[in-house]
Each structure stands twice: as structure tokens, then as C-alpha cells.
């Protein structure tokens, strides 16, 4: 007897553990710090985010901020990743610390998935309303079906205040003003509690009498039929009929209370309008490119031809959200995240203005700890060891031209 | 008759011990079902059950009953043939809903701060009670599978409608129409659940127009019948005592 009791107790304990694991283990993804673990080629050869602006560093509960900028859909999209034919403009935050009050590609609100074209550049804007206090890393993000999340740069934003003050008021098309934060919550609790109580009552009805051993003995000795009485059947019928009446009745009263309802809205949105980037008059040919592992620097030999009518200088090389600037040409005034900004990370063997019609071959070096910190150097271990990025040239009037580069990369270990 | 053959000395003691066993077995069954059923339901029903903006008229209505009739069928098989207890489905759903509510309240809301009105579970209780009562009245697996399975599928949507209807009220937002549930999905950012993963309002039932929910419910009921049979046999097999030695078990 004691042994069996112990065994049952042990088994109960195991079951309890399983339960706890099952119940407590699952939490929807809250973290948004996957940026460094994402394969370098994914970050270099898919979406290039630029001209980014986080409108605030600190924002109070219920106040809004925007993240805006442009993204270029790289024409040399890797074959191993599905093309962004079904993509969703997301935001990389740890759970709903902000609510996404709006998001646009061009002028189009994009609450649903969209279709994007390779080689095009789009403007975007995400409007966020602060909900939960704390310091949060806020990333731009685009999810691509068959490709996964493509995470852009992140910047720390502080939310102040208390979450209890957060409200999310809306006016429905039926004219009611509601707060979506706790709308219909009582109704949800009420129906779940009511049905739980009914189910519990049915269980208690049977658990009030001896359950397992005596019933098992009765069943094994052929007296199973005596175990369900006529009275039990009556109670059962009452439960079943009551259930059906309650389902039908509550459905009818709900329809009366909410005469206007619509199905969930879904479906892919097409026809996103890209922006016209200024025509490029600079042509760049990558002669070779090496990554020097000990120096954490990438060296490129570029042959640059200026077909325009104004002299140009190279101001920036950007790849995987890391910006290497030539301080003589360009200074960042947008408050770009420090860890992704190499203010003097770009040097050139000759960066004097390149006159119209002139061609020059230069050695350009992009060096910064970010190569290691952001694990971009891992690129050399990728199956297709290529790099890609954007070069920005500036003429004397400050006009900018964007030129894509995409070439093999040879590692150098000495 | 020696002491080693019986652990109890009187009838009263036997009754007390038997009652203790009742509670221990019930507790064990409840927690084991909670764990197994909960994991099973999360893996198969998953997002359809997690989020209000997945609770549509087509796929949620179809998928949720089909994947949730599994454990009730198996546990019914065990409790009915061994103990003539018509509570298998109800115990399963009570256990599942308890586990789900703990998860939604502690994790979805308490840890990640998704509002509860966005991540509440589906209600499976009406189908469970009817399933148990049909088994009790008919005492037949076939009848329970056919009538009960169908009822399980049919009762699901109306049983949940009072809970989700308020979230299907339309709203205009930045020049587009949403249901409030859609807007919840848009507002309360899920980094790991991009919009295209959402499988709602898709399928081949377009020709039925507005009445798509009843058609989906019927289809779900038919498949539930088959799944009931299948899992009923799992339950019977799992419930065999072949692996325990001893007589009269
Ligand atoms: Cu981050």
C-alpha cells in the first residue's frame, strides 16, 4: 500500500512538472536582439536601410515617436533567401513596449504584407506610441516570407512614466469610443468563467461519488450497467440541453448587441510605390576586395569614373547598417547609433574631387571594430563569400549619389 | 488471509483509502492531461488559439476543433471502458483551459505584456460537455464519434462568438477598415509573428459567401469524427494493462 501510494505521489509530481513546463515554457518572442547573430550576407545583400531617423531618444507613455528613412532592396538578393514578394514592415522591439500606431511605405499605410521589387528604393515611416517604461533597443525590421526577419539598425530609446497610464482610445465605425487596451476584457472573463464553472459542475457531479477503484471493480465484474442511473442520465440531458440552449441564446443576444461585425481583414498589398533615386553619373568598378582579419578592415580597389558635370568625392560606404564615413566629406548629423557609425572609418588613397569625365583607381579602406562587434567578418565563412554595400558620392553642392557595389571578397589572414 | 494480502483492516478503511486514490488519480490525470494536451494544442492549434486576429471564420473554425478533439477522445476511451465515467472530454478541456489561462496570464500578459483581450484562449467547453453526455447516453464509441464529433465541430464557433464578437466590430484607421482584432494584431507588435504568417480567411470556400463559418464548422465536424475514432483507439491502446504484471488489473 505504502509503495503504491509513493508511486502515485511520485507520478503526480512528474505530471505536475510536465504541466509547469508546458504552461510556463512558452512565451511569444520578446527579444529583438538577433541582429548580430544573423548571417552577415543576409545583412549585406538584402535590405539596405539608410537616411534613418529616430525622432526621439526619450518619450513619455502615450506620446509618439517616429522612425523614418529609406530602404533599398538589393538587386543582388541572395539566392538562398526568398525574394521579398511577400514582406512585412515590422519593428524590432522586445514585445509591445510601444504600440505600432501606424506604418507606411511611401504614402501607403501597410498594416498587412506587401510585395517589394528588387533594385528599388522605398521610403518608410513607423509611428510608435509609448506603452511600457524602460530602455528599449528599437530596430527597423522587414520580415520576408521564406527569408525570415531582416533586422536593421537599432537605437536605444527610453520610455518614461507608468504603464498604468497607457490608453489606446478608438472610435469604432458603429460610433462607440473604446480603449483597445482593455476593451471587452470583462466579457472575455465572464464567458470563460461561466463555461468553466459549468464544466466543473459536471465533473463535480461525478467526483462526488466513489470514482476509480470501486467503479473499476464493478466494470470488471460485469456490473457496468449499474453505474449510470436513470437520474444520472436526466442530469446529463439537462447539462447537454442547457449547453445548447446557452450557446444558442448567447449567440443570439450577442448578435443583437453587436449587429455590425466584419470578418478579419487580410490579403497581400501590391503596388508599393518606390522613390526615384537621382540618376547616377558615377560608375564604380570593384577591381578587388580583401578583408584583413587582423586589422579588422576591408580594402577595396575601386575604379571610379565620373560621367557627370560636377566633381565628386566619396563620402560614405555603408554595409549591413554599419556606416563608414570620410570625415572630410561627410559628417553625420542624424544621431545615427554610435556603435554602427565609423565617423572616420573610411580612408582613400586619393579622395580629392574627381572631375567630370575623369577616371581614377583608388584604394579604399573601411575599418572599424564594428566588423568584429557586428560579426560582419563572418562573411568570409559564408558559402558565397561576397560583400555588398552602398557607396555615397557627393558633389560640390552636396548632392548625393548612391552606387551599389557587389563583389567577391578575399580574406587575408596576415 | 494474512496481513500481507490486504493493506486495510476494515471496510471503512477501505472506503477511505479508495477515496484517497480517487483524488490522487484525478489529480494525476488532470495534470498529466494538462501537460500533454496543452503542448499538443500549442503545437497544432498554436497561433490560431493565441491571438484574436487569427480567430477567423474559416481556418480557426476548421483547425481548432480538429486538433482539440484528440485528447478528449482518448481520455473518454479510458474513463468510459474502465470506469464508466462520462467525464473524459470535460476533464481534458478543464485541464487545457486552466493551463492555457495560466500561460496567457503569466507569460503573454505578465511577462510580455500582450493585453489579455488579445491573447485569450478559445472556449471548448460546450463541445466537451455534449461529447461526454452523448457517450453517457449512448454508451457507444461509434455514436459518440459521429454525433459527438459533429457537435464538437458545430458548437465551436457559436460557443466562441459571444467572446470574439466585440472584437469584430469594424473601425476606420488611417483610411483603412479594420476589425478591432486586426488592429490589436497591428498595434501590439509581435516581432516573431509577421503578418504574412497569419492564416486567416484563406481557403476554397469562397463560393459560400457570407455563410462561410457554418460551412467551415460542418467540415470541421466531419474531420473531427475521423480524428475522434483515431484518438479513441490511441486512448484504448495507451490504456492497456499488458505492461503491468499481476492478476485482475
Ligand atoms: Cu537590439
Amino acid at each position: 500500500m505504502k509503495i503504491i501510494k509513493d508511486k502515485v505521489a511520485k507520478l503526480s509530481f512528474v505530471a505536475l512538472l510536465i504541466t509547469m513546463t508546458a504552461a510556463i515554457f512558452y512565451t511569444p518572442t520578446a527579444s529583438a536582439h538577433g541582429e548580430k547573430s544573423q548571417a552577415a550576407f543576409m545583412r549585406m545583400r538584402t535590405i539596405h536601410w539608410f537616411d534613418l531617423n529616430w525622432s526621439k531618444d526619450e518619450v513619455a507613455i502615450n506620446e509618439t515617436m517616429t522612425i523614418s528613412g529609406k530602404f533599398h532592396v538589393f538587386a543582388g538578393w541572395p539566392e538562398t533567401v526568398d525574394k521579398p514578394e511577400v514582406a512585412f514592415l515590422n519593428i524590432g522591439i522586445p514585445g509591445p513596449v510601444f504600440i505600432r500606431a501606424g506604418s507606411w511605405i511611401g504614402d501607403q499605410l501597410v498594416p498587412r504584407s506587401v510585395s517589394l521589387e528588387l533594385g528599388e528604393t522605398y521610403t518608410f515611416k513607423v509611428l510608435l506610441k509609448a506603452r511600457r517604461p524602460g530602455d528599449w533597443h528599437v530596430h527597423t525590421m522587414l520580415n520576408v516570407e521564406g527569408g525570415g526577419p531582416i533586422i536593421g539598425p537599432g537605437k536605444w530609446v527610453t520610455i518614461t512614466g507608468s504603464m498604468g497610464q497607457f490608453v489606446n482610445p478608438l472610435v469604432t465605425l458603429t460610433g462607440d469610443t473604446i480603449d483597445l487596451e482593455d476593451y471587452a476584457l470583462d466579457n472575455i472573463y465572464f464567458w470563460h468563467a461561466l463555461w468553466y464553472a459549468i464544466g466543473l459542475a459536471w465533473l463535480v457531479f461525478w467526483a462526488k461519488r466513489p470514482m476509480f477503484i470501486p467503479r473499476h471493480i464493478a466494470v470488471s465484474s460485469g456490473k457496468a450497467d449499474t453505474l449510470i442511473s436513470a437520474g444520472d442520465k436526466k442530469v446529463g440531458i439537462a447539462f447537454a440541453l442547457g449547453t445548447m440552449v446557452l450557446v444558442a441564446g448567447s449567440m443570439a443576444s450577442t448578435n443583437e448587441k453587436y449587429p455590425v461585425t466584419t470578418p478579419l481583414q487580410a490579403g497581400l498589398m501590391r503596388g508599393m510605390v518606390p522613390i526615384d533615386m537621382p540618376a547616377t553619373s558615377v560608375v564604380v568598378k570593384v577591381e578587388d576586395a580583401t578583408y584583413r582579419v587582423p586589422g579588422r578592415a576591408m580594402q577595396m580597389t575601386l575604379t571610379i569614373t565620373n560621367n557627370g558635370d560636377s566633381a565628386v568625392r566619396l563620402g560614405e560606404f555603408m554595409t549591413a547598417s554599419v556606416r563608414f564615413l570620410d570625415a572630410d566629406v561627410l559628417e553625420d548629423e542624424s544621431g545615427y547609433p554610435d556603435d554602427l557609425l565609423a565617423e572616420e572609418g573610411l580612408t582613400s588613397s586619393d579622395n580629392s574631387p574627381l572631375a567630370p569625365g575623369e577616371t581614377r583607381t583608388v584604394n579604399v579602406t573601411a575599418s572599424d571594430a564594428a566588423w568584429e562587434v557586428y560579426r560582419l567578418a563572418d562573411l568570409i565563412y559564408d558559402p558565397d563569400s561576397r560583400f555588398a554595400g552602398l557607396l555615397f558620392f557627393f558633389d560640390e553642392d552636396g548632392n548625393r549619389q548612391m552606387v551599389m557595389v557587389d563583389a567577391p571578397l578575399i580574406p587575408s589572414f596576415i | 488471509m494474512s496481513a500481507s494480502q490486504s493493506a486495510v483492516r476494515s471496510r471503512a478503511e477501505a472506503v477511505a483509502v479508495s477515496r484517497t486514490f480517487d483524488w490522487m488519480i484525478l489529480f494525476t490525470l488532470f495534470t498529466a492531461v494538462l501537460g500533454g494536451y496543452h503542448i499538443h494544442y500549442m503545437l497544432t492549434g498554436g497561433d490560431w488559439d493565441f491571438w484574436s486576429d487569427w480567430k477567423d471564420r474559416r481556418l480557426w473554425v476548421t483547425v481548432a476543433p480538429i486538433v482539440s478533439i484528440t485528447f478528449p477522445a482518448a481520455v473518454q476511451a479510458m474513463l468510459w471502458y474502465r470506469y464508466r465515467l462520462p467525464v473524459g472530454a470535460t476533464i481534458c478541456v478543464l485541464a487545457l483551459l486552466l493551463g492555457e489561462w495560466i500561460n496567457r496570464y503569466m507569460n503573454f500578459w505578465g511577462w510580455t505584456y500582450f493585453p489579455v483581450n488579445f491573447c485569450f484562449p478559445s472556449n471548448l467547453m460546450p463541445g466537451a460537455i455534449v461529447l461526454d453526455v452523448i457517450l453517457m447516453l449512448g454508451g457507444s464509441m461509434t455514436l459518440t464519434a459521429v454525433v459527438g464529433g459533429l457537435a464538437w465541430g458545430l458548437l465551436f464557433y457559436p460557443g466562441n462568438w459571444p467572446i470574439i464578437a466585440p472584437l469584430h466590430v469594424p473601425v476606420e484607421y488611417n483610411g483603412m477598415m479594420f476589425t478591432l482584432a486586426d488592429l490589436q494584431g497591428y498595434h501590439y507588435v509581435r516581432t516573431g509573428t509577421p503578418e504574412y504568417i497569419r492564416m486567416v480567411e484563406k481557403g476554397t470556400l469562397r463560393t459560400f459567401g457570407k455563410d462561410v463559418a457554418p460551412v467551415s464548422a460542418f467540415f470541421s465536424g466531419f474531420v473531427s469524427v475521423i480524428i475522434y475514432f483515431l484518438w479513441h483507439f490511441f486512448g484504448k491502446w495507451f490504456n492497456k494493462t499488458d505492461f503491468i504484471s499481476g492478476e485482475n488489473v
Side-chain angles (χ1 to χ4, degrees):
Chain A
M1 186 62 218
K2 177 105 186 18
I3 297 166
I4 303 173
K5 237 181 171 173
D6 281 354
K7 270 196 175 158
V8 174
K10 221 183 240 171
L11 209 64
S12 314
F13 185 66
V14 171
L16 195 68
L17 282 181
I18 297 173
T19 307
M20 292 306 161
T21 334
I24 287 162
F25 194 63
Y26 183 79
T27 312
T29 333
S31 161
H33 289 270
E35 69 258 37
K36 290 174 196 171
S37 54
Q38 192 155 50
F41 79 96
M42 277 281 284
R43 286 177 280 154
M44 280 189 176
R45 302 171 54 82
T46 52
I47 300 289
H48 291 293
W49 307 87
F50 64 104
D51 287 355
L52 296 179
N53 179 265
W54 286 254
S55 71
K56 291 175 187 168
D57 295 327
E58 191 174 305
V59 47
I61 299 279
N62 286 323
E63 279 180 6
T64 58
M65 66 173 286
T66 56
I67 295 158
S68 55
K70 304 187 180 82
F71 63 86
H72 176 75
V73 185
F74 191 61
W77 194 274
E79 252 179 76
T80 43
V81 180
D82 280 5
K83 294 193 174 62
E85 277 151 8
V86 180
F88 180 63
L89 179 65
N90 212 331
I91 190 81
I93 47 177
V97 296
F98 288 92
I99 64 163
R100 174 173 34 219
S103 56
W104 293 264
I105 292 178
D107 295 327
Q108 174 68 54
L109 185 77
V110 286
R112 306 209 295 263
S113 301
V114 299
S115 214
L116 301 173
E117 303 284 338
L118 297 192
E120 297 286 4
T121 304
Y122 300 85
T123 56
F124 77 96
K125 187 170 93 177
V126 180
L127 178 68
L128 299 172
K129 181 173 167 186
R131 179 165 177 261
R132 200 181 135 205
D135 293 324
W136 312 111
H137 213 206
V138 181
H139 289 264
T140 61
M141 186 169 172
L142 188 88
N143 294 81
V144 173
E145 191 173 42
I150 297 169
I151 302 163
K155 192 172 176 179
W156 290 99
V157 176
T158 304
I159 298 180
T160 57
S162 107
M163 192 171 154
Q165 297 160 345
F166 178 77
V167 285
N168 191 5
L170 289 163
V171 180
T172 66
L173 282 175
T174 53
D176 298 309
T177 303
I178 59 140
D179 182 357
L180 197 57
E181 186 73 2
D182 60 7
Y183 168 71
L185 192 57
D186 291 345
N187 181 65
I188 292 164
Y189 284 142
F190 171 78
W191 287 110
H192 267 278
L194 180 65
W195 281 108
Y196 205 89
I198 295 170
L200 212 52
W202 177 244
L203 177 61
V204 167
F205 176 70
W206 292 96
K208 274 197 327 204
R209 60 189 88 179
M211 289 179 91
F212 295 103
I213 297 170
R215 291 181 82 92
H216 182 244
I217 293 168
V219 171
S220 350
S221 52
K223 289 184 218 145
D225 292 343
T226 63
L227 290 173
I228 309 268
S229 71
D232 293 340
K233 289 193 176 175
K234 273 187 196 149
V235 172
I237 290 169
F239 264 91
L241 283 182
T243 294
M244 289 192 275
V245 168
L246 184 57
V247 166
S250 62
M251 185 161 176
S253 72
T254 302
N255 285 338
E256 215 168 281
K257 199 170 168 204
Y258 299 98
V260 180
T261 56
T262 45
L264 297 180
Q265 305 292 302
L268 186 69
M269 299 171 70
R270 293 180 195 278
M272 292 300 115
V273 184
I275 49 168
D276 289 324
M277 293 298 284
T280 49
S281 54
V282 177
V283 177
V284 177
K285 184 167 180 268
V286 183
E287 304 293 346
D288 65 58
T290 49
Y291 179 71
R292 283 190 52 239
V293 179
R296 297 193 297 202
M298 195 180 86
Q299 281 174 338
M300 300 175 268
T301 309
L302 305 177
T303 299
I304 307 166
T305 306
N306 182 3
N307 295 325
D309 43 23
S310 173
V312 295
R313 298 178 77 189
L314 175 62
E316 175 177 351
F317 170 63
M318 192 202 73
T319 186
S321 301
V322 181
R323 299 175 62 193
F324 300 90
L325 309 187
D326 184 331
D328 289 344
V329 183
L330 178 66
E331 223 173 297
D332 177 67
E333 281 153 10
S334 70
Y336 198 74
D338 283 344
D339 51 339
L340 294 164
L341 187 66
E343 282 154 314
E344 294 173 4
L346 194 70
T347 50
S348 180
S349 57
D350 179 3
N351 204 12
S352 58
L354 182 68
E358 202 183 324
T359 296
R360 183 191 297 159
T361 298
V362 290
N363 281 311
V364 174
T365 307
S367 62
D368 192 74
W371 283 106
E372 278 301 320
V373 176
Y374 279 88
R375 297 192 204 156
L376 296 179
D378 291 1
L379 183 68
I380 56 178
Y381 303 110
D382 279 341
D384 184 6
S385 185
R386 291 177 77 86
F387 81 100
L390 305 179
L391 294 171
F392 291 101
F393 290 91
F394 295 82
D395 70 13
E396 279 135 1
D397 302 326
N399 295 320
R400 186 178 68 173
Q401 288 190 35
M402 184 175 93
V403 180
M404 268 69 65
V405 283
D406 178 8
L409 186 72
I410 312 292
S412 149
F413 297 94
I414 43 167
Chain B
M1 191 72 181
S2 72
S4 65
Q5 278 172 305
S6 176
V8 291
R9 281 173 301 258
S10 69
R11 193 180 144 72
E13 209 177 305
V15 169
V17 167
S18 155
R19 207 57 191 141
T20 307
F21 265 110
D22 279 352
W23 296 121
M24 287 170 95
I25 295 170
L26 193 62
F27 176 77
T28 309
L29 179 70
F30 192 85
T31 46
V33 165
L34 195 165
Y37 194 14
H38 193 181
I39 289 172
H40 165 88
Y41 194 47
M42 285 207 300
L43 292 177
T44 52
D47 288 306
W48 276 293
D49 201 75
F50 294 158
W51 315 108
S52 67
D53 68 335
W54 281 66
K55 294 184 163 75
D56 72 333
R57 305 171 302 167
R58 292 164 197 269
L59 287 149
W60 174 57
V61 185
T62 309
V63 173
I66 292 173
V67 301
S68 60
I69 200 169
T70 48
F71 274 67
V75 175
Q76 271 199 339
M78 176 179 89
L79 291 184
W80 183 254
Y81 293 110
R82 297 226 163 248
Y83 310 103
R84 280 294 183 278
L85 277 172
V87 291
T90 306
I91 284 186
C92 286
V93 170
L94 285 169
L96 176 69
L97 282 174
L98 179 69
E100 289 194 315
W101 270 110
I102 291 173
N103 183 16
R104 306 302 162 87
Y105 200 84
M106 311 266 289
N107 296 336
F108 282 64
W109 164 245
W111 184 254
T112 323
Y113 297 89
F114 286 107
V116 174
N117 64 0
F118 177 40
C119 61
F120 55 89
S122 314
N123 175 23
L124 296 165
M125 203 59 84
I129 292 167
V130 169
L131 203 61
D132 277 340
V133 173
I134 290 173
L135 178 64
M136 180 188 78
L137 294 178
S140 146
M141 176 193 80
T142 315
L143 185 83
T144 311
V146 175
V147 181
L150 202 58
W152 180 268
L154 288 177
L155 283 170
F156 180 76
Y157 196 69
N160 278 283
W161 181 243
I163 303 172
I164 64 165
L167 294 165
H168 282 237
V169 172
V171 60
E172 195 230 294
Y173 193 75
N174 284 310
M176 277 175 84
M177 192 186 83
F178 292 76
T179 67
L180 290 170
D182 293 315
L183 207 53
Q184 287 177 310
Y186 183 53
H187 276 177
Y188 298 96
V189 177
R190 290 162 295 187
T191 314
T193 313
E195 197 273 341
Y196 53 75
I197 288 182
R198 192 164 73 125
M199 288 211 271
V200 299
E201 296 293 332
K202 289 179 183 169
T204 50
L205 300 171
R206 288 275 168 221
T207 42
F208 291 97
K210 261 190 96 175
D211 299 320
V212 63
V215 177
S216 305
F218 260 108
F219 176 71
S220 183
F222 286 129
V223 181
S224 294
V225 171
I226 299 162
I227 303 293
Y228 184 95
F229 271 113
L230 195 66
W231 277 73
H232 188 89
F233 287 118
F234 286 162
K236 274 195 157 171
W237 178 84
F238 202 69
N239 188 27
K240 278 193 299 191
T241 47
D242 299 1
F243 10 77
I244 307 172
S245 58
E247 42 189 302
N248 200 21
V249 276

